[in-house]
Amino acid sequence: MTTRYTQREWRNIIDKAEEDLPSSFPEYKAPTLGTLAFAKCIDHTLLKLDATKEQIDQLCEEAVRHRFKSVCVRLEWVERAVNNLGGSDVVVACVVGFHEGTYSVSEKVKEASMAVSAGALELDMVINYPLLKQEQYSQVYTDIAAVRNVAPHPIVLKVILETSKLSRFDIIAGCEVAEAANADFVKTSTGFGGQGATEDNVRLMKSTNGPRMKVKASGGVKTVNECVAMMEAGAERIGTSNGVWIMKEAETRLENATHATADTGKGNSRPSDSLTRMFSSS
């Protein structure tokens, strides 16, 4: 497989991307709380090693009930989740190379192939971030491109950078290499490797990416306010094990705002602005 660029070319591309970053980052609008558009931003996640079949069944039931975009599970649970979700519009995402990212390319390719064969429509792969830190960009590219090769579109490929382990420059580099390898998303974190998603890192990733590639925020996103903050920073997907609580709170706020609007005699106005302009106090 081609490495696409020489080391010098990679460095020039990444340096140029850093130079081109704006001095200030835009704010994006989150979907209205409690709506289908809001629910479809959430990947309902269960990745602990001791997960049981009963917990996987519950995860799937909750995802259907709350209309989430996906359930995100380990390879051993993909087939069960696919069967559970049959007839719904919730898809199955499978992690690859999780959570260390240092597995060989052949191991990641095998895992990705098995996940797709079992019915996964999305893959969340962990890059070999130690190699990224060492500026071994051609090896990182080969890692991602090999998985993309066995999981072509329309399979959605998300590349987990593990931002807590990386410098600002490393994050920019990871986004550039992932985009060159034709990934669909860059994702902040595994949730198992230190600090999870931060608004600053999401903004940086969103501003580095071209218009085609999106950002997924994951790791430590537990409340509605945190979820909205990540969306306003530029995340278009949220990975969380707290999706049920987030949706319940979001739906309650939507209901309360709708009632308040009706009570003031403005039943035809939309409460969406007040429901998406929320910031975490933490």
Side-chain angles (χ1 to χ4, degrees):
M1 179 178 291
T2 177
T3 58
R4 185 155 188 176
Y5 300 117
T6 66
Q7 179 64 19
R8 177 175 290 182
E9 288 171 333
W10 278 120
R11 185 61 193 242
N12 289 341
I13 290 167
I14 296 162
D15 285 343
K16 182 67 163 55
E18 184 179 36
E19 291 173 6
D20 289 345
L21 286 172
S23 57
S24 61
F25 298 125
E27 182 178 291
Y28 299 87
K29 187 173 182 179
T32 302
L33 296 185
T35 63
L36 179 61
F38 184 84
K40 288 302 180 188
C41 292
I42 294 178
D43 290 345
H44 196 33
T45 303
L46 179 57
L47 296 172
K48 62 182 185 177
L49 286 168
D50 60 351
T52 66
K53 62 182 180 181
E54 291 79 12
Q55 290 171 328
I56 296 297
D57 293 346
Q58 181 180 352
L59 185 82
C60 294
E61 186 277 326
E62 291 168 347
V64 172
R65 175 158 37 96
H66 292 285
R67 305 170 297 173
F68 295 137
K69 176 63 179 181
S70 81
V71 297
C72 186
V73 298
R74 291 180 183 264
L75 177 60
E76 65 183 294
W77 298 116
V78 169
E79 185 174 359
R80 188 179 189 91
V82 169
N83 290 335
N84 284 342
L85 295 169
S88 78
D89 64 349
V90 181
V91 302
V92 176
C94 179
V95 291
V96 174
F98 199 85
H99 65 277
E100 297 88 350
T102 53
Y103 302 104
S104 69
V105 173
S106 62
E107 288 175 302
K108 290 182 181 180
V109 165
K110 180 180 179 181
E111 193 171 17
S113 297
M114 292 174 67
V116 172
S117 295
L121 295 180
E122 301 193 350
L123 300 177
D124 289 39
M125 71 166 291
V126 189
I127 63 165
N128 193 322
Y129 57 83
L131 289 179
L132 182 64
K133 291 169 65 69
Q134 296 165 21
E135 300 189 5
Q136 299 299 312
Y137 302 129
S138 289
Q139 292 184 57
V140 176
Y141 171 84
T142 298
D143 188 44
I144 302 168
V147 171
R148 175 87 280 180
N149 188 54
V150 297
H153 292 109
I155 302 297
V156 173
L157 178 60
K158 305 174 214 139
V159 173
I160 306 172
L161 301 183
E162 201 68 289
T163 51
S164 66
K165 309 294 186 184
L166 304 177
S167 68
R168 183 177 186 273
F169 186 82
D170 292 335
I171 292 170
I172 295 168
C175 290
E176 288 296 315
V177 175
E179 187 164 26
N182 206 25
D184 300 294
F185 281 78
V186 279
K187 176 177 169 180
T188 56
S189 319
T190 62
F192 288 74
Q195 184 183 32
T198 69
E199 293 170 56
D200 285 345
N201 284 339
V202 169
R203 290 189 187 98
L204 177 61
M205 293 159 69
K206 178 66 174 178
S207 294
T208 301
N209 291 347
R212 181 189 61 78
M213 197 163 65
K214 302 175 182 179
V215 176
K216 175 177 174 178
S218 62
V221 184
K222 298 178 180 179
T223 69
V224 167
N225 282 9
E226 290 168 346
C227 191
V228 170
M230 294 300 167
M231 293 174 174
E232 290 180 339
E236 296 182 59
R237 196 80 69 86
I238 305 294
T240 180
S241 58
N242 286 68
V244 171
W245 168 251
I246 288 170
M247 281 305 299
K248 285 182 177 178
E249 188 177 359
E251 289 164 357
T252 297
R253 294 192 189 189
L254 175 61
E255 184 178 357
N256 290 343
T258 302
H259 288 165
T261 300
D263 289 344
T264 58
K266 299 177 182 179
N268 291 325
S269 64
R270 298 175 62 208
S272 58
D273 286 343
S274 64
L275 282 168
T276 55
R277 298 282 305 175
M278 300 175 358
F279 296 86
S280 173
S281 59
S282 59

